[in-house]
Amino acid sequence: MLKALLKLFGLSGSKKVSACKCESANLEGFVEYVVRTLVDAPDKVRVTTEENADNTVIRIECQKEDIGKVVVKKGKTISGIRSLVRGAAGKMNKVVTVEVND
């Protein structure tokens, strides 16, 4: 997982790679992996991506009981996920947001 994150952010070990060859599908896969790891019913998690001309939105859907595990107290977990996705998207010169559907 750590290697995948380093690759996603354009880092290879301790050396920085000049160009990140990431795609929105990689970001969606990352979000899905993290969310499935957090919830009690990972088979009920659905992550979709909507791409517009201006931005990309990654939507997370899961059981109501599991939404609290994704958001956690004061939104700390979802904020962390959003920050990681925003950082990786910045490497791709894209704007990507993450939303949790309830």
Side-chain angles (χ1 to χ4, degrees), residues 8-32:
L8 187 66
F9 282 99
L11 301 173
S12 178
S14 62
K15 297 179 182 177
K16 189 171 183 174
V17 177
S18 60
C20 182
K21 308 243 186 239
C22 303
E23 297 178 2
S24 297
N26 290 343
L27 294 175
E28 180 181 333
F30 167 72
V31 171
E32 185 171 2

Side-chain angles (χ1 to χ4, degrees), residues 81-92:
I81 294 170
R82 287 177 176 148
S83 294
L84 289 169
V85 168
R86 201 175 314 123
K91 289 278 194 181
M92 298 184 295

Side-chain angles (χ1 to χ4, degrees), residues 56-95:
T56 302
V57 179
I58 298 175
R59 297 190 191 281
I60 302 168
E61 294 181 31
C62 58
Q63 287 186 331
K64 281 195 180 248
E65 298 82 24
D66 287 335
I67 291 174
K69 292 177 179 72
V70 176
V71 176
V72 187
K73 190 174 185 178
K74 296 184 183 179
K76 288 184 179 184
T77 301
I78 194 65
S79 293
I81 294 170
R82 287 177 176 148
S83 294
L84 289 169
V85 168
R86 201 175 314 123
K91 289 278 194 181
M92 298 184 295
N93 295 321
K94 292 186 176 185
V95 177

Side-chain angles (χ1 to χ4, degrees), residues 27-47:
L27 294 175
E28 180 181 333
F30 167 72
V31 171
E32 185 171 2
Y33 173 79
V34 171
V35 171
R36 284 180 185 264
T37 304
L38 293 171
V39 299
D40 290 334
D43 54 323
K44 303 284 183 174
V45 172
R46 196 170 129 223
V47 178

